[in-house]
Amino acid sequence: MTYPSTRIAIIGAGAVGATIAYAAAIKGIADEIVIIDLDHNKAVAQASDIMHGSMFLPPVEVTAGSMKDCKDAQIVVITAGAKQATGQTRLELAASNARMVREVVPSILEVAPAALLLMVSNPVDVLTYAALRVSGVPSHRIIGSGTVLDTSRFRSLLAARLNVSISNVHAYIVGEHGDSEVPLWSSSTVANVPIANFSTSECASLNDSDREELFGRVRNAAGSIIAAKGATNWAVGLSVSRVMSAIIRDENAVLTVSRLLNNYHGIDDVCLSVPSIVGRNGLGALLPVDYSDEEIRALRTSAGVLKEAAQSLGF
Ligand SMILES: NC(=O)c1ccc[n+]([C@@H]2O[C@H](COP(=O)([O-])OP(=O)(O)OC[C@H]3O[C@@H](n4cnc5c(N)ncnc54)[C@H](O)[C@@H]3O)[C@@H](O)[C@H]2O)c1
C-alpha cells in the first residue's frame, strides 16, 4: 500500500519564499515542497540550493515547478509580489500585490480546488481578504500569516527583558500585521504570573515606558531590518512553517493568524489577527480572549484601517 505524500507549494522564490521552503524542509513538515516563481530559473536555483543539503535533512523532495504543480498540495503559500521598500508601509504595497492575488489565486484553485491558502505577501491582512473575495472558498481555508511573526518578536523581546525562557512567555500581538497592531498586555503572563506583577530578584517589573519602548521595537522591527539588509526572511520563514506544521500535523495550535472576522466585538467583514485554533482544516474556533477596554478600542481602530485599505482597492 502506498500512502499519499504531503505536498506544499510555495508561490514566490524570493527571500521569504525560499526561507519558508528551507524552514519547512529542516523541520520535516512535508514530503514534497514545490517552489514556483515567474522567474523560473530563480525557483530552480533555490530548490537546488536546498536539495544540495538533503544529506542533512529529513527525507524531502524540493523542486521548482509551475502553477500546475500546485495540484495535490495541502497548502499553497503565497509569498509572491513586491516587498516593502525602506520607509514604505505595508499598506502602501497594496495595489500591486492585490493585482497579483487576482491573477494567482484563480490559477491555484483551478488545479488545487481543495487546498488551504496561506497568505504571506504584504499587506497580508488586506491580501487575505482579497483572496477570500477573489476565490469565494469557505473562509476557514484562507489563512493569513498575520501577527504570528509579531507575536514571536514580542515574546522574544519579553523573554530577553525578563530573563526567562521564551517557552514560559504567553503574550500576543493582534490586529493588523503593521502599524496599527495591538499588544495584549492585559492577558500577558510569564508561567501564569501576569506580566503586570512580574518581577524577580534579577529584574524589575515593566513600567509604562518599558512597555512602550518594547512594543515600539516589535512594531518597527521589519523597518530596521529592511533598512539594513533589504528584506526580513528568517523569522517569517519560521513563523510560516509553524502555521504549516499546525495544519499538517492537525495540532489545533493557538496562533495569531489573520482571518475573516464577523460579529467579533463589534468588528465585521475584515481580516485581521486574533488568537485562533489552527489544525488540519485550517482555521478553527476563536479563543475567548478577555480584552481590556483599551485593547478592544485599539483592535477596532486596526480593523477600521484595514477595512478602508481593502475598500480603496475595490474589495
Ligand atoms: N507576512 C509577513 O510576516 C511577511 C514578512 C516578510 C515579508 N513579507 C512579504 O512577503 C513578500 C515577499 O517578500 P520577499 O522578500 O520574498 O520579496 P522578493 O522580491 O525577494 O521575492 C518576491 C518574488 O515573487 C516573485 N513574483 C512576483 N510576482 C509573481 C507571480 N505573479 N507569480 C509568481 N512569482 C511572482 C518575484 O519574481 C520574486 O522572486 C513581500 O510582499 C513582503 O512584504 C511578509
Side-chain angles (χ1 to χ4, degrees):
M1 175 172 177
T2 52
Y3 292 93
S5 62
T6 312
R7 182 180 183 78
I8 290 168
I10 300 173
I11 318 288
V16 173
T19 311
I20 292 169
Y22 183 63
I26 284 182
K27 292 178 161 210
I29 287 172
D31 307 307
E32 296 172 26
I33 300 171
V34 59
I35 308 176
I36 299 159
D37 198 289
L38 287 179
D39 181 347
H40 184 66
N41 288 339
K42 186 173 171 184
V44 170
Q46 299 284 27
S48 307
D49 201 6
I50 296 173
M51 281 309 284
H52 292 163
S54 56
M55 177 179 169
F56 313 108
L57 292 173
V60 64
E61 201 63 47
V62 185
T63 55
S66 62
M67 279 304 184
K68 68 175 173 27
D69 298 303
C70 292
K71 188 170 182 299
D72 297 330
Q74 279 93 329
I75 306 173
V76 179
V77 186
I78 301 186
T79 76
K83 62 182 170 188
Q84 258 174 290
T86 305
Q88 190 182 36
T89 69
R90 293 184 179 93
L91 289 179
E92 283 163 0
L93 275 182
S96 68
N97 285 353
R99 276 195 297 280
M100 177 277 295
V101 167
R102 284 185 208 273
E103 272 171 38
V104 162
V105 168
S107 351
I108 295 168
L109 292 172
E110 214 176 290
V111 288
L116 299 182
L117 298 191
L118 181 42
M119 305 300 296
V120 180
S121 305
N122 276 318
V124 67
D125 304 287
V126 176
L127 298 190
T128 302
Y129 187 82
L132 262 168
R133 290 291 162 253
V134 165
S135 67
V137 306
S139 60
H140 68 90
R141 284 177 39 204
I142 311 264
I143 306 161
S145 66
T147 57
V148 176
L149 169 59
D150 314 67
T151 291
S152 172
R153 287 175 172 148
F154 190 39
R155 290 187 188 193
S156 87
L157 294 178
L158 278 169
R161 169 66 177 74
L162 300 173
N163 199 20
V164 291
S165 162
I166 193 165
S167 63
N168 294 120
V169 177
H170 294 276
Y172 292 106
I173 300 281
V174 297
E176 178 194 359
H177 169 58
D179 292 345
S180 69
E181 66 190 24
V182 183
L184 296 186
W185 289 111
S186 74
S187 52
S188 298
T189 68
V190 175
N192 282 354
V193 178
I195 289 264
N197 307 336
F198 188 86
S199 65
T200 65
S201 55
E202 289 166 2
C203 85
S205 57
L206 297 173
N207 61 29
D208 287 351
S209 89
D210 294 330
R211 289 180 190 211
E212 208 172 297
E213 188 267 336
L214 193 140
F215 172 55
R217 285 170 62 201
V218 173
R219 196 181 38 214
N220 301 323
S224 51
I225 293 171
I226 290 167
K229 68 166 197 151
T232 59
N233 60 311
W234 299 111
V236 64
L238 291 167
S239 306
V240 174
S241 69
R242 176 73 194 89
V243 179
M244 294 195 293
S245 112
I247 295 167
I248 285 177
R249 297 176 179 147
D250 196 20
E251 291 179 42
N252 287 340
V254 175
L255 295 166
T256 49
V257 283
S258 188
R259 64 183 293 165
L260 181 68
L261 291 180
N262 271 312
N263 200 15
Y264 184 84
H265 297 278
I267 294 170
D268 279 298
D269 198 28
V270 64
C271 288
L272 48 71
S273 293
V274 291
S276 297
I277 294 174
V278 180
R280 181 182 294 134
N281 295 321
L283 295 165
L286 291 162
L287 254 68
V289 181
D290 196 7
Y291 296 107
S292 70
D293 292 348
E294 195 187 331
E295 288 163 356
I296 276 293
R297 269 195 300 276
L299 193 59
R300 288 184 186 134
T301 302
S302 192
V305 168
L306 292 168
K307 206 163 191 173
E308 204 179 305
Q311 281 167 355
S312 74
L313 295 168
F315 292 106

